Amino acid sequence: MNFEERLSAFIGRVIEVVYSNQFIQGRLLRVANEVFVVQAESSNYIPEPREVLIFTENVSFIRIPPR
């Protein structure tokens, strides 16, 4: 099982992602080959909610908080 297959088990859940010195928190929407999409909540990095495309090779850390 590769990273994308494992991550796809959490579609619909809130995740926290650290990549390229940024922190994104939001709902995991889609997972594809080497990328995934998060509906990001507003934060210091993103002033309003929007979909963010993240390349898996840039990910430093992913946390999936308990429900």
Side-chain angles (χ1 to χ4, degrees):
M1 181 178 290
N2 66 25
F3 178 75
E4 289 86 2
E5 290 171 338
R6 181 70 178 130
L7 188 59
S8 68
F10 298 99
I11 290 175
R13 296 269 308 267
V14 172
I15 65 171
E16 299 170 351
V17 183
V18 176
Y19 74 101
S20 303
N21 294 325
Q22 293 189 18
F23 174 78
I24 302 292
Q25 181 177 11
R27 190 160 310 280
L28 180 61
L29 298 178
R30 295 183 293 281
V31 179
N33 191 23
E34 300 181 10
V35 297
F36 59 97
V37 179
V38 174
Q39 177 67 40
E41 300 172 358
S42 61
S43 69
N44 292 339
Y45 297 111
I46 300 173
E48 59 188 49
R50 67 175 178 167
E51 289 186 8
V52 178
L53 178 72
I54 301 172
F55 291 92
T56 56
E57 67 184 26
N58 297 333
V59 172
S60 300
F61 179 81
I62 292 181
R63 178 177 178 267
I64 302 164
R67 292 183 178 179

